[in-house]
Amino acid sequence: MAHAPKLDVKQDSAPVVNRTTRKTVLVLGLESSCDETAASVLRRYDNGQIDILSNIVASQDEEHRPFGGVVPEIAARAHMRKIEPILAKAMKTSGVAWDDLDAIAATAGPGLIGGVITGLMGAKGLSMTLGKPLIAVNHLEGHALSPRLTEDCPFPYLLLLVSGGHSQLLSVTGLGKYTRLGSTVDDAAGEAFDKTAKVMGLGFPGGPQVQKWAERGNPTAVKLPRPMKGRDHADFSFAGLKTAVARAWDASDKTDAAKADIAASFQRAMTDTMLDRVGRAMTLYRRATGETEKARLVVAGGVAANTELRAGLKTLAETRNYDFIAPPLKFCGDNAAMIALAGAERLAAGLIDTYDAPARPRWPLDSAAAKTAPKSGYGKKGPKS
Ligand code: KG4
Ligand code: ZN
């Protein structure tokens, strides 16, 4: 890396941190698991307060737009091109000197392996060079903790994690303590938004485009299914809804009015479905945690940026005696501030990694549950979480 001091070849293992000496920590985070190359520096005080000193995100939308989806090979090359300038910019913007960092955190999975390797190897190199601890962060833990970047959001909470690759409901009882209450048996919520946009030629990335078109449409114009609605588990399924949208589009007159109506009807079906599943998970959550007073509902991941979903969750939370917390839009999608935060929380707890930390294409938050089928069984593609 251009600004890093010379490599100290004598150091062959990750430095050890004394958990009793860590108070306020300064952490550099790197994110490169999908199609955003990102770096961030943040300070975390021992009371949990956060200063985000820089948060740089380079999107690869332009590179992937012609294909209507993320192309792994293109993503891997773009991460290699962008990671160094993004890192340099994050450091410069933060005003923090390399030597003042307390740790280097990077996404180590789950995600597209080429990108994950790029960020993780960069972090390992920096960690060795600077003699600072390495923290290999689970990208999903980054999303799970993201509301804590800007809000006082203590454990425990019920988490709806909905992104391009994942759809899960989790009980979060502490750092690294996740219990899966439900997950998708086929597609992720963001995937359904992206495919819907692709079918109608709305542009990439799909979620924001569907939302934009939906604003002009009638959400009751097209009858679409609400998969899993009313079931007594908290799993999701979105594949059937995606197919139903493709059929509705085929049968339509393909005008702008049809686009808007289908987008609005799809978004409503997605929202209805997710609210039903969250409602069910609320019951399971109270049962599991024994919580009878006011509980907390948190939404995270790229799909958490959806306005209709946020509004629906807020109302549901009020009626079920939950506080509702959603990150600001810029922290819903992939970013490195959430990775730096996960790194900072891990560092403060004395949890650091060694240089053999692997890059993982799959890495469930609740590994015990991931080995068993969701309550409703797997879809055709097998487990996603
Ligand atoms: O968390 P994220 O940036 O990347 C993954 O880890 O997957 O999530 C990206 C997903 C994409 O599928 C994108 O279409 C979706 O989030 N998304 C939205 C909105 N903004 C982004 N979906 C619905 N409504 C939105 N406003
Ligand atoms: Zn993500």
Side-chain angles (χ1 to χ4, degrees):
M1 301 292 167
H3 296 74
K6 250 178 67 201
L7 181 71
D8 176 5
V9 288
K10 285 192 291 290
Q11 191 190 316
D12 57 4
S13 63
V16 176
V17 178
N18 177 348
R19 76 172 59 205
T20 58
T21 59
R22 287 290 158 192
K23 290 280 184 221
T24 297
V25 291
L26 263 175
V27 176
L28 165 67
L30 298 178
E31 158 58 32
S32 55
S33 65
C34 190
D35 60 341
E36 262 90 30
T37 317
S40 166
V41 178
L42 64 72
R43 181 184 290 113
R44 180 183 183 275
Y45 299 89
D46 57 351
N47 65 359
Q49 194 194 315
I50 306 294
D51 292 338
I52 299 169
L53 304 177
S54 64
N55 179 39
I56 312 292
V57 183
S59 143
Q60 301 173 5
D61 287 353
E62 290 307 319
E63 282 97 327
H64 300 292
R65 186 161 290 131
F67 305 94
V70 178
V71 182
E73 181 62 26
I74 294 175
R77 286 170 196 275
H79 285 304
M80 281 173 64
R81 254 193 344 268
K82 293 180 185 194
I83 192 118
E84 204 173 321
I86 292 301
L87 176 56
K89 193 166 174 195
M91 286 304 290
K92 189 163 179 218
T93 307
S94 73
V96 169
W98 291 101
D99 275 345
D100 292 337
L101 289 171
D102 291 303
I104 317 295
T107 297
L112 299 174
I113 199 66
V116 175
I117 289 173
T118 304
L120 184 60
M121 291 304 284
K124 285 181 181 178
L126 277 174
S127 163
M128 284 180 199
T129 308
L130 299 168
K132 310 283 182 184
L134 168 77
I135 300 163
V137 172
N138 184 318
H139 177 84
L140 301 174
E141 180 161 77
H143 279 303
L145 301 178
S146 61
R148 293 159 68 90
L149 281 168
T150 49
E151 298 249 6
D152 181 24
C153 178
F155 303 121
Y157 47 85
L158 170 63
L159 170 70
L160 171 66
L161 174 46
V162 270
S163 71
H166 300 270
S167 297
Q168 305 176 28
L169 280 154
L170 296 150
S171 162
V172 181
T173 50
L175 181 66
K177 293 186 180 152
Y178 308 96
T179 307
R180 187 182 77 187
L181 301 174
S183 73
T184 182
V185 298
D186 41 50
D187 295 340
E191 218 175 331
F193 271 98
D194 291 340
K195 299 254 173 73
T196 293
K198 192 173 178 180
V199 161
M200 297 200 283
L202 303 187
F204 176 83
Q209 296 299 331
V210 169
Q211 177 170 316
K212 215 167 81 195
W213 280 87
E215 278 160 20
R216 287 183 270 155
N218 171 5
T220 58
V222 183
K223 203 166 173 295
L224 293 170
R226 269 72 172 153
M228 304 278 194
K229 191 166 179 181
R231 303 283 178 87
D232 65 357
H233 53 69
D235 290 334
F236 305 92
S237 165
F238 297 114
L241 180 50
K242 192 181 72 186
T243 309
V245 166
R247 286 215 188 95
W249 176 243
D250 276 348
S252 79
D253 56 10
K254 315 232 172 9
T255 56
D256 279 359
K259 270 186 197 173
D261 282 348
I262 294 174
S265 302
F266 165 76
Q267 185 173 267
R268 180 61 54 84
M270 288 295 287
T271 307
D272 277 356
T273 306
M274 285 191 269
L275 294 182
D276 177 75
R277 308 291 63 214
V278 174
R280 181 65 198 145
M282 285 171 155
T283 305
L284 300 177
Y285 177 77
R286 287 215 189 263
R287 206 177 285 161
T289 58
E291 212 154 343
T292 50
E293 301 300 310
K294 194 148 204 164
R296 232 177 322 283
L297 170 68
V298 165
V299 66
V303 181
N306 188 270
T307 313
E308 188 171 327
L309 175 64
R310 287 167 89 96
L313 288 169
K314 187 165 180 288
T315 308
L316 175 66
E318 277 160 14
T319 57
R320 298 284 296 264
N321 199 24
Y322 275 72
D323 276 330
F324 175 56
I325 300 182
L329 296 194
K330 66 178 170 182
F331 297 127
C332 288
D334 288 348
N335 65 87
M338 68 184 194
I339 303 302
L341 173 65
E345 294 210 15
R346 292 199 150 257
L347 181 68
L351 300 167
I352 64 166
D353 291 276
T354 51
Y355 292 138
D356 55 5
R360 309 190 200 194
R362 283 190 174 219
W363 186 3
L365 275 182
D366 179 351
S367 47
K371 287 190 192 112
T372 61
K375 303 268 183 312
S376 52
Y378 293 142
K380 269 194 237 147
K381 294 185 191 166
K384 275 246 170 180
S385 57

